[in-house]
Amino acid sequence: METEDCFLHIKKASQHKIMYFERNKRKITVKTTEEDDEFYGSLEDIYTELKDNKFFFIHKSFLVNYSFIKIFNNDKVIMADGRELPISQARRKKIREKYLKMEG
């Protein structure tokens, strides 16, 4: 499935159920509260669609839903499912600012 089809998956999954997206090469895994789904696409394209909806691009391989961050550290987040995801060094300042703004 290509990127244009991924938006159908995003809508089907209901954005409020999406915990995070993970990229492995060209394959994207969508981790939701109910199931996982995979398709081929671009995290950058997904972020363009979701950046105004509490999604943080924390690493070139991870796009996370703010609502499912349980613990926020300088270099990683711990998600509701217990998974630790890294925050890339280049994105840390921007992500911290965005997180504090959401908490504020």
Side-chain angles (χ1 to χ4, degrees):
M1 179 178 321
E2 295 300 324
T3 302
E4 55 271 6
D5 296 330
C6 81
F7 299 114
L8 296 174
H9 276 271
I10 294 168
K11 287 181 174 41
K12 269 179 37 179
S14 297
Q15 291 179 24
H16 69 278
K17 294 179 183 177
I18 297 172
M19 289 191 278
Y20 56 88
F21 295 88
E22 179 178 3
R23 172 175 47 201
N24 185 2
K25 298 182 183 170
R26 286 194 58 233
K27 189 178 282 187
I28 306 292
T29 300
V30 182
K31 177 72 173 177
T32 73
T33 56
E34 297 172 350
E35 63 184 350
D36 295 353
D37 198 4
E38 292 184 339
F39 57 89
Y40 290 95
S42 161
L43 277 185
E44 290 81 3
D45 290 343
I46 296 168
Y47 181 64
T48 299
E49 291 292 315
L50 298 176
K51 66 182 173 185
D52 296 330
N53 295 325
K54 299 186 194 178
F55 281 82
F56 293 8
F57 207 162
I58 64 168
H59 187 279
K60 67 180 181 179
S61 298
F62 296 103
L63 180 60
V64 302
N65 184 338
Y66 164 81
S67 300
F68 291 96
I69 296 173
K70 291 296 178 194
I71 299 172
F72 179 89
N73 291 322
N74 186 49
D75 61 344
K76 66 183 174 187
V77 294
I78 300 175
M79 302 302 292
D81 65 352
R83 179 119 186 248
E84 292 185 17
L85 305 177
I87 301 173
S88 69
Q89 189 169 0
R91 298 176 195 256
R92 287 179 187 164
K93 182 179 178 186
K94 187 174 182 178
I95 294 302
R96 183 173 48 250
E97 289 170 357
K98 189 172 181 179
Y99 183 80
L100 290 173
K101 185 177 179 183
M102 296 294 288
E103 287 288 304

